[in-house]
Amino acid sequence: MARQSTLITGAAGFIGFHLSKKLLEQNVAVVGLDNLNDYYDVNLKLARLKILKQYPNFHFVQEDLANKEGIRTVFGNDGFDHVVNLAAQAGVRYSLVNPYAYVDSNVTGFLNILEACRHRMPKHLVFASSSSVYGANGSTPFSVHDNVDHPLALYAATKKANELMAHAYSNLYHIPVTGLRFFTVYGPYGRPDMALFIFTKAILEGKPIDVYNFGKMKRDFTYIDDIVEGIVRLLPKAPEGNKQWDRQHPDPASSTSPYRLFNIGNNKSVQLMDFIGILETKLKRKATINLLPLQDGDVTETFADIADLELVTGFRPATTIDQGIENFVAWYKKYYNIA
């Protein structure tokens, strides 16, 4: 594969699909990798891939991150200009049921990406972390300059592990690497295990929706186009190392190594019940709400401090929750042929 290209793992996934499409529209050669597992509806992943395959500069490889030799083959002799690792076993609640899937994909799989980057040095490795790393941290808005040492679920722990592993490889092998903590991403072609998708499906089918912590939840909902714009702007901005980094007062978000962390969120925390209210308005239907206690591993609020992202890229997410939900509902009805 030609050197002037970008590898996107998880390309058939929600964020990977939208990022791939954006880069393909900019005439970037994209190699998309995905294992097409059945964690959720494979047909949705195939529908995303069908769109990407219409672009002549897209090449798809079905492979699992945990397959060391397979990943080595994908990188070949030349590697890639940019590597964006979005493939992961996602979901906080599923990690309570199938923890081994998280270690295989998020830890072993990411190690294979790091090893491949060590030998086929990209200009920039960008990887997905998560707002879940903030765990028991109650200080809002969540800042990348705060320590995050109290994960509340294994999923969060694997994402924190990714950040630590990436720093170690950046230090040892001088790989320019950036970690992105995503905050509750939503939008067209979204994941069926996410709240907006689950709520929309249930409301349209006249079924009740489960709302945890008796509705007393707040989330920094971030529209997919804003997430993608943030990634695209960061790709050419590989970190070089913080010359002012102080070992006596270490900043978790940077390092003397070429390593950075950023939040990508909407910088607004929305009450879950308000979110549901907007969805009801867009669907023109009322939800039957089943109020339940807080689930193990869940947090009551997320809220992103995006000052660093704005400083480095000049970008600030602009999609309102009202517009974002409207766009999702329009896509959902069209995709599933609902009048």
Side-chain angles (χ1 to χ4, degrees), residues 164-239:
L164 298 174
M165 292 162 70
H167 182 269
Y169 268 71
S170 179
N171 172 64
L172 290 169
Y173 308 113
H174 309 291
I175 303 169
V177 58
T178 297
L180 304 178
R181 293 174 178 170
F182 297 132
F183 281 70
T184 316
V185 190
Y186 74 101
Y189 284 95
R191 280 178 21 215
D193 63 325
M194 298 289 283
L196 181 56
F197 204 113
I198 293 169
F199 291 171
T200 299
K201 184 175 188 292
I203 292 170
L204 288 172
E205 293 176 356
K207 296 177 181 177
I209 61 174
D210 291 340
V211 177
Y212 296 98
N213 203 37
F214 305 104
K216 296 174 183 175
M217 304 274 275
K218 298 175 75 176
R219 287 290 182 269
D220 194 329
F221 294 99
T222 315
Y223 191 65
I224 184 61
D225 289 1
D226 290 328
I227 290 283
V228 167
E229 183 65 25
I231 300 172
V232 169
R233 291 200 189 196
L234 280 169
L235 272 178
K237 298 183 180 296

Side-chain angles (χ1 to χ4, degrees), residues 9-216:
T9 72
F14 176 32
I15 300 175
F17 159 68
H18 283 278
L19 177 61
S20 296
K21 187 169 180 290
K22 178 80 169 181
L23 292 175
L24 290 166
E25 288 167 353
Q26 296 177 351
N27 293 316
V28 175
V30 173
V31 175
L33 181 149
D34 205 290
N35 67 357
L36 297 177
N37 69 24
D38 61 357
Y39 170 64
Y40 63 77
D41 183 14
V42 175
N43 289 323
L44 180 58
K45 298 180 182 183
L46 294 175
R48 296 174 184 140
L49 272 183
K50 185 178 179 182
I51 294 170
L52 297 180
K53 286 178 178 178
Q54 294 173 2
Y55 293 86
N57 48 333
F58 179 74
H59 175 69
F60 177 66
V61 178
Q62 185 170 349
E63 186 56 85
D64 197 299
L65 283 193
N67 181 358
K68 179 172 64 176
E69 293 303 322
I71 297 303
R72 187 177 297 169
T73 299
V74 170
F75 273 74
N77 294 323
D78 296 323
F80 302 91
D81 273 351
H82 298 112
V83 175
V84 185
N85 186 56
L86 299 172
Q89 180 57 62
V92 170
R93 289 163 191 161
Y94 186 61
S95 68
L96 306 180
V97 179
N98 189 2
Y100 290 98
Y102 289 77
V103 174
D104 291 343
S105 179
N106 302 5
V107 179
T108 302
F110 189 52
L111 176 62
N112 290 337
I113 290 292
L114 289 170
E115 273 291 298
C117 288
R118 167 191 171 187
H119 294 289
R120 301 286 182 264
M121 186 73 75
K123 294 177 181 176
H124 195 184
L125 165 62
V126 176
F127 70 95
S129 185
S130 166
S131 62
S132 68
V133 299
Y134 288 102
N137 185 347
S139 175
T140 55
F142 294 156
S143 170
V144 288
H145 304 289
D146 294 337
N147 284 309
V148 287
D149 294 325
H150 300 89
L152 298 179
L154 181 65
Y155 170 67
T158 62
K159 286 301 182 180
K160 174 66 185 289
N162 285 171
E163 295 179 0
L164 298 174
M165 292 162 70
H167 182 269
Y169 268 71
S170 179
N171 172 64
L172 290 169
Y173 308 113
H174 309 291
I175 303 169
V177 58
T178 297
L180 304 178
R181 293 174 178 170
F182 297 132
F183 281 70
T184 316
V185 190
Y186 74 101
Y189 284 95
R191 280 178 21 215
D193 63 325
M194 298 289 283
L196 181 56
F197 204 113
I198 293 169
F199 291 171
T200 299
K201 184 175 188 292
I203 292 170
L204 288 172
E205 293 176 356
K207 296 177 181 177
I209 61 174
D210 291 340
V211 177
Y212 296 98
N213 203 37
F214 305 104
K216 296 174 183 175

